Amino acid sequence: MTWARHFSPPILPTRSPRTPSDQIFVTLGGRCGFESLDQSAFIAANLTAAQFDYDSTRQIGGGLGTAKGSTDGSNLFGASVKLGYDHGTPDYRVTPTAGLRASHLQRDAFAETGSEMALAVEKLSEDRTDLLLGVEVEATPAQFGNWSVAPALSVAYEHALDGGDTESSGFIEELSLDQVSDFDDKDVIRLGLRSMPSWSSSQSRPRAVIRERMPVA
């Protein structure tokens, strides 16, 4: 389970805008190797469910007050499946993967209050499918006394198969306003570098050898 707080721009540009959202993610997954989990082809699947609360604050200016709005119970669902292969050597392990991810976002409708420019924001429902490609290279753990460190480098590429932008709508009385997300790129590249240190208290100690003296006849 993961909790996150995200900030994004509001529907209309205003003074000192704030749009935080509290998000809780729950992910379940599994992996099955066709021959073994150490070195063979494998299939991995994940299911993700998230709930988030959406709050917005817009200072309109010009004596028009501050518009505030919130919605609870918005949901994000996703499922992904990947095929990969683990190739290990005494010095490193390489794991290329390829797969698909489908996700559905639903945000409840809400109405702002506190200003003559308050918006009535419509419900948002979006579906998205992504192509996932990636590779991870992990080095054999290096020993430093009781410590061991295993560095790893990962490169991931995501391509939106059905568009990368998100549109939402709001109303001021009978005037309709549409917003298109600033982030509308279909292609995303992610780079990651991690190092997993571990400590062990076990130390090799010389074993005592007990020799029994045989009586002399």
Side-chain angles (χ1 to χ4, degrees):
M1 179 179 292
T2 303
W3 175 87
R5 165 154 283 206
H6 174 71
F7 291 86
S8 60
I11 292 179
L12 292 176
T14 53
R15 299 179 181 178
S16 303
R18 286 175 55 85
T19 312
S21 60
D22 294 324
Q23 305 169 1
I24 298 178
F25 288 85
V26 178
T27 300
L28 298 176
R31 170 172 159 165
C32 177
F34 295 122
E35 296 179 6
S36 70
L37 292 179
D38 295 330
Q39 181 163 324
S40 72
F42 65 87
I43 183 171
N46 284 321
L47 295 175
T48 300
Q51 185 178 43
F52 62 93
D53 300 330
Y54 181 93
D55 299 305
S56 65
T57 301
R58 300 186 299 116
Q59 296 181 6
I60 308 300
L64 296 176
T66 299
K68 297 182 178 181
S70 65
T71 178
D72 299 329
S74 300
N75 299 305
L76 172 66
F77 301 100
S80 66
V81 60
K82 292 182 181 181
L83 291 174
Y85 186 84
D86 267 329
H87 174 70
T89 71
D91 298 322
Y92 60 87
R93 176 184 298 273
V94 180
T95 307
T97 58
L100 292 172
R101 179 180 61 212
S103 55
H104 174 74
L105 171 66
Q106 179 177 323
R107 188 199 63 200
D108 295 339
F110 65 94
E112 293 182 326
T113 59
S115 171
E116 296 179 3
M117 299 294 292
L119 288 169
V121 182
E122 287 189 329
K123 178 180 179 180
L124 176 66
S125 181
E126 292 280 343
D127 294 306
R128 176 165 170 163
T129 305
D130 297 292
L131 171 67
L132 309 176
L133 300 174
V135 61
E136 181 177 87
V137 180
E138 181 178 358
T140 301
Q143 293 293 140
F144 300 95
N146 288 341
W147 288 91
S148 63
V149 179
L153 173 68
S154 62
V155 180
Y157 169 72
E158 300 180 7
H159 175 74
L161 299 178
D162 46 10
D165 57 350
T166 300
E167 297 183 6
S168 59
S169 300
F171 292 88
I172 300 178
E173 296 182 354
E174 297 182 356
L175 177 63
S176 175
L177 300 173
D178 296 329
Q179 178 194 27
V180 179
S181 61
D182 291 334
F183 182 80
D184 58 357
D185 198 337
K186 289 186 176 182
D187 302 297
V188 176
I189 297 177
R190 305 179 189 274
L191 299 176
L193 180 63
R194 63 179 173 85
S195 180
M196 299 293 293
S198 60
W199 182 81
S200 176
S201 61
S202 61
Q203 296 181 354
S204 59
R205 297 181 179 179
R207 292 182 300 172
V209 179
I210 301 177
R211 297 180 179 177
E212 182 179 358
R213 178 174 294 181
M214 301 296 295
V216 179

